[in-house]
Amino acid sequence: MIRKATVADRPRITEVRLAVRENRLSAASQDKVDRTADWIFENAAFWVWEEDGAVQGFSVADPRDGTIFGLFIHPDYESRGIARALLPRACEDLRAAGYAVATLTTGAGTRAERFYRTNGWEEIGRQENGEIIFRKPL
């Protein structure tokens, strides 16, 4: 089931985020992620996939800058189409906020890179750290 997250889901969303095999959260970025998540919980929406009584994945967009802030699936629930079901919800939030294009970044050579390319995202550059910048019309 896909639904909007509640604050009560936050601990499980954090568990899912920390359980991923790629794009692991560094200690240096934890504070920024927490601040952004605080803002999104107060002003926007996390979309969650709930199965077996718990959140198993989530997507979230940041309507302040037109980015997909996160798309993460618990490793035990990967390859089931959950990401493909959740990502459009985050994109819809950006479209509703007035954006015509969404952007996101992800590591090169990852499953995430292949996922975004396969799903119509276009590489538009690289960050200094080598992460790929993707965009997609909404």
Side-chain angles (χ1 to χ4, degrees):
M1 166 178 62
I2 296 176
R3 62 173 174 77
K4 285 188 177 183
T6 67
V7 174
D9 294 316
R10 191 166 183 170
R12 179 60 183 170
I13 288 170
T14 300
E15 286 177 22
V16 170
R17 178 63 183 92
L18 295 175
V20 298
R21 296 179 186 135
E22 294 181 338
N23 193 6
R24 308 228 10 137
L25 191 59
S26 71
S29 63
Q30 180 71 46
D31 187 52
K32 179 185 177 201
V33 168
D34 286 344
R35 283 192 319 272
T36 301
D38 289 343
W39 187 91
I40 290 169
F41 266 108
E42 292 172 12
N43 300 286
F46 278 76
W47 291 95
V48 296
W49 179 279
E50 185 176 338
E51 187 174 334
D52 298 329
V55 169
Q56 306 300 350
F58 67 91
S59 67
V60 60
D62 190 335
R64 297 173 295 182
D65 62 7
T67 61
I68 299 299
F69 179 66
L71 176 63
F72 296 98
I73 310 302
H74 192 280
D76 294 342
Y77 288 79
E78 292 175 348
S79 301
R80 297 182 185 191
I82 296 170
R84 227 175 250 102
L86 283 170
L87 184 56
R89 300 296 178 100
C91 289
E92 289 169 16
D93 288 343
L94 293 179
R95 189 175 20 260
Y99 290 93
V101 175
T103 60
L104 62 84
T105 62
T106 197
T110 61
R111 290 179 310 136
E113 176 191 356
R114 290 187 301 278
F115 171 84
Y116 292 118
R117 288 186 191 284
T118 300
N119 286 282
W121 291 77
E122 173 190 8
E123 180 177 342
I124 60 169
R126 302 270 174 141
Q127 293 182 328
E128 284 184 21
N129 66 3
E131 285 206 349
I132 301 168
I133 304 167
F134 282 107
R135 76 171 176 192
K136 185 175 184 179
L138 299 171

